[in-house]
Amino acid sequence: MGRFDGRVAVVTGAARGIGFGTATRFAEEGASVAIIDLDETAAAQAAAKLPVIDGAKAVGIGADVSDAESVDAAVERVVGELGGIHVLVNNAGITRDNLLFKMTEQDWDLVMGVHLKGAFLMTKAAQKHFVEQKYGKIVNLSSVSALGNRGQANYSAAKMGVQGFTRTLGIELGPFGINANAVAPGFIATEMTDATAARLKMDVEEFRKLNAEANPVRRVGFPEDIAAAVAFLASDEASYITGQTLYVDGGAKLG
Ligand code: NAP
């Protein structure tokens, strides 16, 4: 028996990276899974690769999490095609890094739009169903960058905003059988960190090696590390945990 048998899990930004790793974990543990990503073809191709267990389904849906109409239509499609919604993982994300004096208003708005407004819109659309059924699990992706990171004023503010949003969801939605928590990853090897290497004009492997050497556990993280934490927080084993942010970073910010 899987921890998510009979459940429907939605993961945004899951065509690749941490989102795909998390969607895979839910599928392995019995859930039907909806992958939401900007490009419907990429989302559908990723969904087709999920190791769904007999009787469960996977679907890929194209939607922009920062657009209310797109979000509402996507959540209704999930409920229509998979028969409900029980778990929401707000994972979709972008970076537009620059030092403050060079950061444009557009780059500020874009980052806030995807991380913060995106999580707000998705959660608002899903909570309607969660409240009706008196059951729901929300896991939001924050980051160690919430604690401050050079060149990421927009991203840090959004990721700390996610933590405040999560605490408030815990307070408001707890009485309705809904848990909301956040996971704050450290350095995870994905296209997002590969893009950072490119921006710093560094070789990807060299960049990963440097980050591994600087980390207390002497390695970088992988999508599976985050998926394991998200799955725990979304499981019934974690039903007395809400409003929390779990740092999954190999101890990166301990020093
Ligand atoms: P990634 O590989 O860049 O994947 C992000 C996915 O989100 C992409 O498929 C992207 O689609 C999608 N996306 C972007 N904007 C979207 C929107 N408006 N609507 C729907 N989907 C959208 O990133 P990742 O490294 O897996 O990161 C996943 C999450 O973890 C993000 O929230 C990120 O901030 C957080 N995080 C990552 C790290 C890390 O080290 N990697 C560390 C801390 C936190 P397109 O490809 O079409 O743009």
PDB file of all heavy atoms in Angstrom, residues 12-19 36-39 63-66 90-94 114-115 141-144 155 159 185-193, ligand 1:
ATOM      1  N   THR A  12       2.947  21.950  -9.550  1.00  0.00           N
ATOM      2  CA  THR A  12       3.159  22.976 -10.587  1.00  0.00           C
ATOM      3  C   THR A  12       4.637  23.040 -10.973  1.00  0.00           C
ATOM      4  O   THR A  12       5.517  22.691 -10.180  1.00  0.00           O
ATOM      5  CB  THR A  12       2.684  24.367 -10.105  1.00  0.00           C
ATOM      6  OG1 THR A  12       3.550  24.825  -9.056  1.00  0.00           O
ATOM      7  CG2 THR A  12       1.239  24.346  -9.620  1.00  0.00           C
ATOM      8  N   GLY A  13       4.877  23.482 -12.203  1.00  0.00           N
ATOM      9  CA  GLY A  13       6.259  23.584 -12.687  1.00  0.00           C
ATOM     10  C   GLY A  13       6.946  22.232 -12.681  1.00  0.00           C
ATOM     11  O   GLY A  13       8.146  22.130 -12.404  1.00  0.00           O
ATOM     12  N   ALA A  14       6.189  21.173 -13.013  1.00  0.00           N
ATOM     13  CA  ALA A  14       6.705  19.805 -12.813  1.00  0.00           C
ATOM     14  C   ALA A  14       7.124  19.113 -14.113  1.00  0.00           C
ATOM     15  O   ALA A  14       7.336  17.907 -14.119  1.00  0.00           O
ATOM     16  CB  ALA A  14       5.667  18.965 -12.075  1.00  0.00           C
ATOM     17  N   ALA A  15       7.280  19.873 -15.180  1.00  0.00           N
ATOM     18  CA  ALA A  15       7.745  19.238 -16.423  1.00  0.00           C
ATOM     19  C   ALA A  15       9.197  18.795 -16.288  1.00  0.00           C
ATOM     20  O   ALA A  15       9.679  17.966 -17.061  1.00  0.00           O
ATOM     21  CB  ALA A  15       7.577  20.188 -17.595  1.00  0.00           C
ATOM     22  N   ARG A  16       9.910  19.368 -15.284  1.00  0.00           N
ATOM     23  CA  ARG A  16      11.312  18.978 -15.077  1.00  0.00           C
ATOM     24  C   ARG A  16      11.727  19.309 -13.635  1.00  0.00           C
ATOM     25  O   ARG A  16      10.925  19.810 -12.849  1.00  0.00           O
ATOM     26  CB  ARG A  16      12.207  19.720 -16.074  1.00  0.00           C
ATOM     27  CG  ARG A  16      12.204  21.221 -15.869  1.00  0.00           C
ATOM     28  CD  ARG A  16      13.245  21.916 -16.723  1.00  0.00           C
ATOM     29  NE  ARG A  16      13.491  23.232 -16.230  1.00  0.00           N
ATOM     30  CZ  ARG A  16      13.366  24.348 -16.948  1.00  0.00           C
ATOM     31  NH1 ARG A  16      13.019  24.273 -18.204  1.00  0.00           N
ATOM     32  NH2 ARG A  16      13.619  25.506 -16.394  1.00  0.00           N
ATOM     33  N   GLY A  17      12.993  19.009 -13.340  1.00  0.00           N
ATOM     34  CA  GLY A  17      13.594  19.457 -12.072  1.00  0.00           C
ATOM     35  C   GLY A  17      12.930  18.895 -10.815  1.00  0.00           C
ATOM     36  O   GLY A  17      12.491  17.736 -10.776  1.00  0.00           O
ATOM     37  N   ILE A  18      12.894  19.730  -9.785  1.00  0.00           N
ATOM     38  CA  ILE A  18      12.345  19.327  -8.485  1.00  0.00           C
ATOM     39  C   ILE A  18      10.877  18.915  -8.621  1.00  0.00           C
ATOM     40  O   ILE A  18      10.426  17.946  -8.002  1.00  0.00           O
ATOM     41  CB  ILE A  18      12.486  20.494  -7.479  1.00  0.00           C
ATOM     42  CG1 ILE A  18      13.969  20.740  -7.165  1.00  0.00           C
ATOM     43  CG2 ILE A  18      11.696  20.213  -6.219  1.00  0.00           C
ATOM     44  CD1 ILE A  18      14.238  22.003  -6.341  1.00  0.00           C
ATOM     45  N   GLY A  19      10.134  19.647  -9.446  1.00  0.00           N
ATOM     46  CA  GLY A  19       8.708  19.339  -9.624  1.00  0.00           C
ATOM     47  C   GLY A  19       8.518  17.954 -10.206  1.00  0.00           C
ATOM     48  O   GLY A  19       7.683  17.168  -9.723  1.00  0.00           O
ATOM     49  N   ILE A  36       1.413  20.396 -13.841  1.00  0.00           N
ATOM     50  CA  ILE A  36       1.053  21.680 -14.457  1.00  0.00           C
ATOM     51  C   ILE A  36       2.340  22.396 -14.821  1.00  0.00           C
ATOM     52  O   ILE A  36       3.252  22.505 -14.001  1.00  0.00           O
ATOM     53  CB  ILE A  36       0.192  22.533 -13.493  1.00  0.00           C
ATOM     54  CG1 ILE A  36      -1.153  21.839 -13.266  1.00  0.00           C
ATOM     55  CG2 ILE A  36       0.007  23.943 -14.037  1.00  0.00           C
ATOM     56  CD1 ILE A  36      -2.126  22.616 -12.412  1.00  0.00           C
ATOM     57  N   ASP A  37       2.430  22.858 -16.066  1.00  0.00           N
ATOM     58  CA  ASP A  37       3.609  23.627 -16.467  1.00  0.00           C
ATOM     59  C   ASP A  37       3.185  24.582 -17.590  1.00  0.00           C
ATOM     60  O   ASP A  37       2.105  24.438 -18.169  1.00  0.00           O
ATOM     61  CB  ASP A  37       4.750  22.707 -16.923  1.00  0.00           C
ATOM     62  CG  ASP A  37       6.119  23.303 -16.598  1.00  0.00           C
ATOM     63  OD1 ASP A  37       6.464  24.338 -17.208  1.00  0.00           O
ATOM     64  OD2 ASP A  37       6.838  22.775 -15.740  1.00  0.00           O
ATOM     65  N   LEU A  38       4.054  25.530 -17.886  1.00  0.00           N
ATOM     66  CA  LEU A  38       3.711  26.549 -18.880  1.00  0.00           C
ATOM     67  C   LEU A  38       3.352  25.938 -20.228  1.00  0.00           C
ATOM     68  O   LEU A  38       2.380  26.343 -20.862  1.00  0.00           O
ATOM     69  CB  LEU A  38       4.910  27.497 -19.079  1.00  0.00           C
ATOM     70  CG  LEU A  38       5.047  28.653 -18.100  1.00  0.00           C
ATOM     71  CD1 LEU A  38       6.335  29.404 -18.402  1.00  0.00           C
ATOM     72  CD2 LEU A  38       3.853  29.594 -18.159  1.00  0.00           C
ATOM     73  N   ASP A  39       4.136  24.963 -20.649  1.00  0.00           N
ATOM     74  CA  ASP A  39       3.965  24.375 -21.975  1.00  0.00           C
ATOM     75  C   ASP A  39       3.227  23.033 -21.861  1.00  0.00           C
ATOM     76  O   ASP A  39       3.735  22.101 -21.239  1.00  0.00           O
ATOM     77  CB  ASP A  39       5.365  24.189 -22.598  1.00  0.00           C
ATOM     78  CG  ASP A  39       5.287  23.544 -23.957  1.00  0.00           C
ATOM     79  OD1 ASP A  39       4.408  23.923 -24.739  1.00  0.00           O
ATOM     80  OD2 ASP A  39       6.108  22.636 -24.222  1.00  0.00           O
ATOM     81  N   ALA A  63      -0.519  25.563 -18.136  1.00  0.00           N
ATOM     82  CA  ALA A  63      -1.124  26.719 -17.455  1.00  0.00           C
ATOM     83  C   ALA A  63      -0.020  27.620 -16.917  1.00  0.00           C
ATOM     84  O   ALA A  63       1.060  27.143 -16.569  1.00  0.00           O
ATOM     85  CB  ALA A  63      -2.011  26.260 -16.299  1.00  0.00           C
ATOM     86  N   ASP A  64      -0.332  28.905 -16.849  1.00  0.00           N
ATOM     87  CA  ASP A  64       0.576  29.884 -16.244  1.00  0.00           C
ATOM     88  C   ASP A  64       0.052  30.158 -14.837  1.00  0.00           C
ATOM     89  O   ASP A  64      -1.046  30.713 -14.680  1.00  0.00           O
ATOM     90  CB  ASP A  64       0.567  31.169 -17.095  1.00  0.00           C
ATOM     91  CG  ASP A  64       1.428  32.263 -16.500  1.00  0.00           C
ATOM     92  OD1 ASP A  64       1.942  32.103 -15.368  1.00  0.00           O
ATOM     93  OD2 ASP A  64       1.584  33.302 -17.175  1.00  0.00           O
ATOM     94  N   VAL A  65       0.826  29.775 -13.815  1.00  0.00           N
ATOM     95  CA  VAL A  65       0.330  29.904 -12.445  1.00  0.00           C
ATOM     96  C   VAL A  65       0.121  31.361 -12.016  1.00  0.00           C
ATOM     97  O   VAL A  65      -0.562  31.617 -11.033  1.00  0.00           O
ATOM     98  CB  VAL A  65       1.243  29.190 -11.412  1.00  0.00           C
ATOM     99  CG1 VAL A  65       1.286  27.700 -11.658  1.00  0.00           C
ATOM    100  CG2 VAL A  65       2.637  29.795 -11.368  1.00  0.00           C
ATOM    101  N   SER A  66       0.693  32.298 -12.762  1.00  0.00           N
ATOM    102  CA  SER A  66       0.511  33.708 -12.378  1.00  0.00           C
ATOM    103  C   SER A  66      -0.723  34.337 -13.029  1.00  0.00           C
ATOM    104  O   SER A  66      -0.974  35.532 -12.866  1.00  0.00           O
ATOM    105  CB  SER A  66       1.761  34.521 -12.725  1.00  0.00           C
ATOM    106  OG  SER A  66       1.960  34.563 -14.114  1.00  0.00           O
ATOM    107  N   ASN A  90       3.066  23.814  -4.661  1.00  0.00           N
ATOM    108  CA  ASN A  90       3.364  25.043  -5.400  1.00  0.00           C
ATOM    109  C   ASN A  90       4.867  25.118  -5.612  1.00  0.00           C
ATOM    110  O   ASN A  90       5.616  25.582  -4.752  1.00  0.00           O
ATOM    111  CB  ASN A  90       2.866  26.262  -4.616  1.00  0.00           C
ATOM    112  CG  ASN A  90       1.359  26.390  -4.683  1.00  0.00           C
ATOM    113  OD1 ASN A  90       0.772  26.371  -5.768  1.00  0.00           O
ATOM    114  ND2 ASN A  90       0.720  26.509  -3.525  1.00  0.00           N
ATOM    115  N   ASN A  91       5.287  24.630  -6.782  1.00  0.00           N
ATOM    116  CA  ASN A  91       6.719  24.468  -7.071  1.00  0.00           C
ATOM    117  C   ASN A  91       7.203  25.347  -8.225  1.00  0.00           C
ATOM    118  O   ASN A  91       8.400  25.637  -8.314  1.00  0.00           O
ATOM    119  CB  ASN A  91       6.973  22.979  -7.382  1.00  0.00           C
ATOM    120  CG  ASN A  91       8.327  22.734  -8.012  1.00  0.00           C
ATOM    121  OD1 ASN A  91       9.343  22.643  -7.319  1.00  0.00           O
ATOM    122  ND2 ASN A  91       8.376  22.648  -9.349  1.00  0.00           N
ATOM    123  N   ALA A  92       6.301  25.777  -9.107  1.00  0.00           N
ATOM    124  CA  ALA A  92       6.719  26.542 -10.300  1.00  0.00           C
ATOM    125  C   ALA A  92       7.585  27.723  -9.875  1.00  0.00           C
ATOM    126  O   ALA A  92       7.281  28.410  -8.893  1.00  0.00           O
ATOM    127  CB  ALA A  92       5.509  27.038 -11.074  1.00  0.00           C
ATOM    128  N   GLY A  93       8.668  27.944 -10.609  1.00  0.00           N
ATOM    129  CA  GLY A  93       9.537  29.045 -10.214  1.00  0.00           C
ATOM    130  C   GLY A  93      10.441  29.516 -11.330  1.00  0.00           C
ATOM    131  O   GLY A  93      10.712  28.778 -12.284  1.00  0.00           O
ATOM    132  N   ILE A  94      10.882  30.751 -11.202  1.00  0.00           N
ATOM    133  CA  ILE A  94      11.841  31.333 -12.151  1.00  0.00           C
ATOM    134  C   ILE A  94      12.841  32.177 -11.356  1.00  0.00           C
ATOM    135  O   ILE A  94      12.575  32.541 -10.217  1.00  0.00           O
ATOM    136  CB  ILE A  94      11.162  32.249 -13.200  1.00  0.00           C
ATOM    137  CG1 ILE A  94      10.385  33.381 -12.507  1.00  0.00           C
ATOM    138  CG2 ILE A  94      10.267  31.450 -14.109  1.00  0.00           C
ATOM    139  CD1 ILE A  94       9.945  34.478 -13.464  1.00  0.00           C
ATOM    140  N   VAL A 114       5.266  34.767 -10.383  1.00  0.00           N
ATOM    141  CA  VAL A 114       5.276  33.296 -10.453  1.00  0.00           C
ATOM    142  C   VAL A 114       5.286  32.687  -9.039  1.00  0.00           C
ATOM    143  O   VAL A 114       4.446  31.836  -8.712  1.00  0.00           O
ATOM    144  CB  VAL A 114       6.478  32.777 -11.272  1.00  0.00           C
ATOM    145  CG1 VAL A 114       6.503  31.256 -11.270  1.00  0.00           C
ATOM    146  CG2 VAL A 114       6.417  33.311 -12.695  1.00  0.00           C
ATOM    147  N   HIS A 115       6.206  33.145  -8.182  1.00  0.00           N
ATOM    148  CA  HIS A 115       6.355  32.493  -6.875  1.00  0.00           C
ATOM    149  C   HIS A 115       5.220  32.846  -5.914  1.00  0.00           C
ATOM    150  O   HIS A 115       4.621  31.962  -5.302  1.00  0.00           O
ATOM    151  CB  HIS A 115       7.684  32.890  -6.230  1.00  0.00           C
ATOM    152  CG  HIS A 115       8.876  32.371  -6.986  1.00  0.00           C
ATOM    153  ND1 HIS A 115       9.368  31.110  -6.801  1.00  0.00           N
ATOM    154  CD2 HIS A 115       9.646  32.949  -7.929  1.00  0.00           C
ATOM    155  CE1 HIS A 115      10.407  30.924  -7.603  1.00  0.00           C
ATOM    156  NE2 HIS A 115      10.599  32.030  -8.296  1.00  0.00           N
ATOM    157  N   LEU A 141       7.145  25.659  -2.168  1.00  0.00           N
ATOM    158  CA  LEU A 141       8.609  25.663  -2.292  1.00  0.00           C
ATOM    159  C   LEU A 141       9.148  27.039  -1.938  1.00  0.00           C
ATOM    160  O   LEU A 141       8.894  28.025  -2.633  1.00  0.00           O
ATOM    161  CB  LEU A 141       9.016  25.274  -3.721  1.00  0.00           C
ATOM    162  CG  LEU A 141       9.299  23.784  -3.972  1.00  0.00           C
ATOM    163  CD1 LEU A 141      10.575  23.344  -3.250  1.00  0.00           C
ATOM    164  CD2 LEU A 141       8.145  22.904  -3.512  1.00  0.00           C
ATOM    165  N   SER A 142       9.903  27.091  -0.825  1.00  0.00           N
ATOM    166  CA  SER A 142      10.659  28.289  -0.468  1.00  0.00           C
ATOM    167  C   SER A 142      12.096  28.040  -0.920  1.00  0.00           C
ATOM    168  O   SER A 142      12.324  27.331  -1.908  1.00  0.00           O
ATOM    169  CB  SER A 142      10.552  28.544   1.035  1.00  0.00           C
ATOM    170  OG  SER A 142      11.298  29.675   1.407  1.00  0.00           O
ATOM    171  N   SER A 143      13.077  28.578  -0.222  1.00  0.00           N
ATOM    172  CA  SER A 143      14.481  28.411  -0.608  1.00  0.00           C
ATOM    173  C   SER A 143      15.374  28.928   0.511  1.00  0.00           C
ATOM    174  O   SER A 143      14.958  29.814   1.281  1.00  0.00           O
ATOM    175  CB  SER A 143      14.760  29.233  -1.869  1.00  0.00           C
ATOM    176  OG  SER A 143      16.156  29.327  -2.102  1.00  0.00           O
ATOM    177  N   VAL A 144      16.611  28.432   0.571  1.00  0.00           N
ATOM    178  CA  VAL A 144      17.576  29.031   1.502  1.00  0.00           C
ATOM    179  C   VAL A 144      17.812  30.500   1.154  1.00  0.00           C
ATOM    180  O   VAL A 144      18.206  31.294   2.004  1.00  0.00           O
ATOM    181  CB  VAL A 144      18.939  28.300   1.516  1.00  0.00           C
ATOM    182  CG1 VAL A 144      18.854  26.953   2.181  1.00  0.00           C
ATOM    183  CG2 VAL A 144      19.520  28.174   0.110  1.00  0.00           C
ATOM    184  N   TYR A 155      13.967  37.346  -5.718  1.00  0.00           N
ATOM    185  CA  TYR A 155      13.755  35.928  -5.394  1.00  0.00           C
ATOM    186  C   TYR A 155      13.737  35.702  -3.874  1.00  0.00           C
ATOM    187  O   TYR A 155      12.883  34.974  -3.358  1.00  0.00           O
ATOM    188  CB  TYR A 155      14.868  35.128  -6.067  1.00  0.00           C
ATOM    189  CG  TYR A 155      14.772  33.631  -5.980  1.00  0.00           C
ATOM    190  CD1 TYR A 155      13.924  32.919  -6.826  1.00  0.00           C
ATOM    191  CD2 TYR A 155      15.557  32.913  -5.079  1.00  0.00           C
ATOM    192  CE1 TYR A 155      13.868  31.525  -6.771  1.00  0.00           C
ATOM    193  CE2 TYR A 155      15.509  31.530  -5.019  1.00  0.00           C
ATOM    194  CZ  TYR A 155      14.667  30.840  -5.858  1.00  0.00           C
ATOM    195  OH  TYR A 155      14.608  29.464  -5.799  1.00  0.00           O
ATOM    196  N   LYS A 159      10.668  34.256  -1.773  1.00  0.00           N
ATOM    197  CA  LYS A 159      10.769  32.990  -1.048  1.00  0.00           C
ATOM    198  C   LYS A 159      10.528  33.168   0.456  1.00  0.00           C
ATOM    199  O   LYS A 159      10.059  32.246   1.115  1.00  0.00           O
ATOM    200  CB  LYS A 159      12.129  32.336  -1.310  1.00  0.00           C
ATOM    201  CG  LYS A 159      12.273  31.803  -2.740  1.00  0.00           C
ATOM    202  CD  LYS A 159      11.116  30.884  -3.127  1.00  0.00           C
ATOM    203  CE  LYS A 159      11.446  29.949  -4.275  1.00  0.00           C
ATOM    204  NZ  LYS A 159      10.262  29.154  -4.712  1.00  0.00           N
ATOM    205  N   PRO A 185      14.670  24.374  -0.147  1.00  0.00           N
ATOM    206  CA  PRO A 185      15.868  23.649  -0.593  1.00  0.00           C
ATOM    207  C   PRO A 185      17.114  24.531  -0.580  1.00  0.00           C
ATOM    208  O   PRO A 185      17.045  25.750  -0.749  1.00  0.00           O
ATOM    209  CB  PRO A 185      15.541  23.269  -2.049  1.00  0.00           C
ATOM    210  CG  PRO A 185      14.070  23.497  -2.220  1.00  0.00           C
ATOM    211  CD  PRO A 185      13.718  24.585  -1.247  1.00  0.00           C
ATOM    212  N   GLY A 186      18.258  23.853  -0.410  1.00  0.00           N
ATOM    213  CA  GLY A 186      19.545  24.488  -0.680  1.00  0.00           C
ATOM    214  C   GLY A 186      19.868  24.276  -2.149  1.00  0.00           C
ATOM    215  O   GLY A 186      18.971  24.253  -2.987  1.00  0.00           O
ATOM    216  N   PHE A 187      21.138  24.076  -2.456  1.00  0.00           N
ATOM    217  CA  PHE A 187      21.564  23.903  -3.852  1.00  0.00           C
ATOM    218  C   PHE A 187      21.089  22.543  -4.364  1.00  0.00           C
ATOM    219  O   PHE A 187      21.513  21.498  -3.871  1.00  0.00           O
ATOM    220  CB  PHE A 187      23.087  23.970  -3.951  1.00  0.00           C
ATOM    221  CG  PHE A 187      23.601  23.950  -5.366  1.00  0.00           C
ATOM    222  CD1 PHE A 187      24.068  25.111  -5.962  1.00  0.00           C
ATOM    223  CD2 PHE A 187      23.609  22.776  -6.111  1.00  0.00           C
ATOM    224  CE1 PHE A 187      24.537  25.093  -7.276  1.00  0.00           C
ATOM    225  CE2 PHE A 187      24.065  22.754  -7.422  1.00  0.00           C
ATOM    226  CZ  PHE A 187      24.535  23.914  -8.003  1.00  0.00           C
ATOM    227  N   ILE A 188      20.215  22.557  -5.366  1.00  0.00           N
ATOM    228  CA  ILE A 188      19.728  21.318  -5.980  1.00  0.00           C
ATOM    229  C   ILE A 188      20.152  21.324  -7.451  1.00  0.00           C
ATOM    230  O   ILE A 188      19.974  22.341  -8.147  1.00  0.00           O
ATOM    231  CB  ILE A 188      18.182  21.219  -5.882  1.00  0.00           C
ATOM    232  CG1 ILE A 188      17.697  21.441  -4.437  1.00  0.00           C
ATOM    233  CG2 ILE A 188      17.705  19.866  -6.424  1.00  0.00           C
ATOM    234  CD1 ILE A 188      18.190  20.437  -3.407  1.00  0.00           C
ATOM    235  N   ALA A 189      20.697  20.216  -7.895  1.00  0.00           N
ATOM    236  CA  ALA A 189      21.175  20.129  -9.283  1.00  0.00           C
ATOM    237  C   ALA A 189      19.987  20.041 -10.242  1.00  0.00           C
ATOM    238  O   ALA A 189      19.359  18.987 -10.380  1.00  0.00           O
ATOM    239  CB  ALA A 189      22.069  18.899  -9.426  1.00  0.00           C
ATOM    240  N   THR A 190      19.641  21.170 -10.864  1.00  0.00           N
ATOM    241  CA  THR A 190      18.553  21.222 -11.853  1.00  0.00           C
ATOM    242  C   THR A 190      18.941  22.257 -12.915  1.00  0.00           C
ATOM    243  O   THR A 190      19.972  22.934 -12.788  1.00  0.00           O
ATOM    244  CB  THR A 190      17.210  21.688 -11.232  1.00  0.00           C
ATOM    245  OG1 THR A 190      17.343  23.065 -10.856  1.00  0.00           O
ATOM    246  CG2 THR A 190      16.790  20.853 -10.047  1.00  0.00           C
ATOM    247  N   GLU A 191      18.062  22.429 -13.890  1.00  0.00           N
ATOM    248  CA  GLU A 191      18.334  23.439 -14.922  1.00  0.00           C
ATOM    249  C   GLU A 191      18.396  24.845 -14.335  1.00  0.00           C
ATOM    250  O   GLU A 191      19.047  25.727 -14.880  1.00  0.00           O
ATOM    251  CB  GLU A 191      17.261  23.374 -16.019  1.00  0.00           C
ATOM    252  CG  GLU A 191      17.460  22.169 -16.909  1.00  0.00           C
ATOM    253  CD  GLU A 191      16.502  22.134 -18.090  1.00  0.00           C
ATOM    254  OE1 GLU A 191      16.180  23.210 -18.646  1.00  0.00           O
ATOM    255  OE2 GLU A 191      16.089  21.028 -18.450  1.00  0.00           O
ATOM    256  N   MET A 192      17.704  25.057 -13.194  1.00  0.00           N
ATOM    257  CA  MET A 192      17.736  26.392 -12.573  1.00  0.00           C
ATOM    258  C   MET A 192      19.155  26.725 -12.094  1.00  0.00           C
ATOM    259  O   MET A 192      19.668  27.825 -12.341  1.00  0.00           O
ATOM    260  CB  MET A 192      16.739  26.469 -11.413  1.00  0.00           C
ATOM    261  CG  MET A 192      16.664  27.834 -10.791  1.00  0.00           C
ATOM    262  SD  MET A 192      15.423  27.952  -9.475  1.00  0.00           S
ATOM    263  CE  MET A 192      13.959  28.334 -10.412  1.00  0.00           C
ATOM    264  N   THR A 193      19.807  25.777 -11.416  1.00  0.00           N
ATOM    265  CA  THR A 193      21.167  26.048 -10.931  1.00  0.00           C
ATOM    266  C   THR A 193      22.181  25.956 -12.082  1.00  0.00           C
ATOM    267  O   THR A 193      23.205  26.640 -12.058  1.00  0.00           O
ATOM    268  CB  THR A 193      21.540  25.114  -9.753  1.00  0.00           C
ATOM    269  OG1 THR A 193      21.069  23.798 -10.022  1.00  0.00           O
ATOM    270  CG2 THR A 193      20.951  25.595  -8.454  1.00  0.00           C
TER     271      THR A 193
HETATM  272  P1  NAP B   1      13.433  24.495 -12.962  1.00  0.00           P
HETATM  273  O1  NAP B   1      14.224  23.287 -13.337  1.00  0.00           O
HETATM  274  O2  NAP B   1      13.765  25.798 -13.617  1.00  0.00           O
HETATM  275  O3  NAP B   1      11.891  24.141 -13.193  1.00  0.00           O
HETATM  276  C1  NAP B   1      10.878  25.101 -12.966  1.00  0.00           C
HETATM  277  C2  NAP B   1       9.665  24.752 -13.791  1.00  0.00           C
HETATM  278  O4  NAP B   1       8.657  25.743 -13.506  1.00  0.00           O
HETATM  279  C3  NAP B   1       9.934  24.801 -15.317  1.00  0.00           C
HETATM  280  O5  NAP B   1       9.408  23.651 -15.938  1.00  0.00           O
HETATM  281  C4  NAP B   1       9.212  26.067 -15.743  1.00  0.00           C
HETATM  282  O6  NAP B   1       8.688  26.034 -17.049  1.00  0.00           O
HETATM  283  C5  NAP B   1       8.047  26.107 -14.740  1.00  0.00           C
HETATM  284  N1  NAP B   1       7.442  27.423 -14.688  1.00  0.00           N
HETATM  285  C6  NAP B   1       8.053  28.637 -14.695  1.00  0.00           C
HETATM  286  N2  NAP B   1       7.155  29.630 -14.671  1.00  0.00           N
HETATM  287  C7  NAP B   1       5.936  29.039 -14.647  1.00  0.00           C
HETATM  288  C8  NAP B   1       4.605  29.539 -14.617  1.00  0.00           C
HETATM  289  N3  NAP B   1       4.351  30.851 -14.622  1.00  0.00           N
HETATM  290  N4  NAP B   1       3.582  28.660 -14.614  1.00  0.00           N
HETATM  291  C9  NAP B   1       3.816  27.317 -14.618  1.00  0.00           C
HETATM  292  N5  NAP B   1       5.056  26.784 -14.629  1.00  0.00           N
HETATM  293  C10 NAP B   1       6.098  27.638 -14.651  1.00  0.00           C
HETATM  294  O7  NAP B   1      13.483  24.782 -11.391  1.00  0.00           O
HETATM  295  P2  NAP B   1      13.819  23.834 -10.136  1.00  0.00           P
HETATM  296  O8  NAP B   1      15.230  23.986  -9.814  1.00  0.00           O
HETATM  297  O9  NAP B   1      13.227  22.487 -10.342  1.00  0.00           O
HETATM  298  O10 NAP B   1      13.007  24.616  -8.984  1.00  0.00           O
HETATM  299  C11 NAP B   1      11.699  24.248  -8.566  1.00  0.00           C
HETATM  300  C12 NAP B   1      11.299  25.120  -7.371  1.00  0.00           C
HETATM  301  O11 NAP B   1      12.250  24.957  -6.325  1.00  0.00           O
HETATM  302  C13 NAP B   1      11.258  26.615  -7.671  1.00  0.00           C
HETATM  303  O12 NAP B   1      10.213  27.212  -6.945  1.00  0.00           O
HETATM  304  C14 NAP B   1      12.592  27.098  -7.167  1.00  0.00           C
HETATM  305  O13 NAP B   1      12.576  28.466  -6.866  1.00  0.00           O
HETATM  306  C15 NAP B   1      12.769  26.218  -5.948  1.00  0.00           C
HETATM  307  N6  NAP B   1      14.167  26.069  -5.520  1.00  0.00           N
HETATM  308  C16 NAP B   1      15.111  25.514  -6.339  1.00  0.00           C
HETATM  309  C17 NAP B   1      16.432  25.384  -5.880  1.00  0.00           C
HETATM  310  C18 NAP B   1      17.525  24.764  -6.722  1.00  0.00           C
HETATM  311  O14 NAP B   1      18.681  24.773  -6.248  1.00  0.00           O
HETATM  312  N7  NAP B   1      17.251  24.232  -7.899  1.00  0.00           N
HETATM  313  C19 NAP B   1      16.764  25.830  -4.605  1.00  0.00           C
HETATM  314  C20 NAP B   1      15.780  26.397  -3.800  1.00  0.00           C
HETATM  315  C21 NAP B   1      14.483  26.509  -4.264  1.00  0.00           C
HETATM  316  P3  NAP B   1       9.521  26.636 -18.304  1.00  0.00           P
HETATM  317  O15 NAP B   1      10.662  25.725 -18.486  1.00  0.00           O
HETATM  318  O16 NAP B   1       8.561  26.586 -19.432  1.00  0.00           O
HETATM  319  O17 NAP B   1       9.944  28.014 -17.910  1.00  0.00           O
END
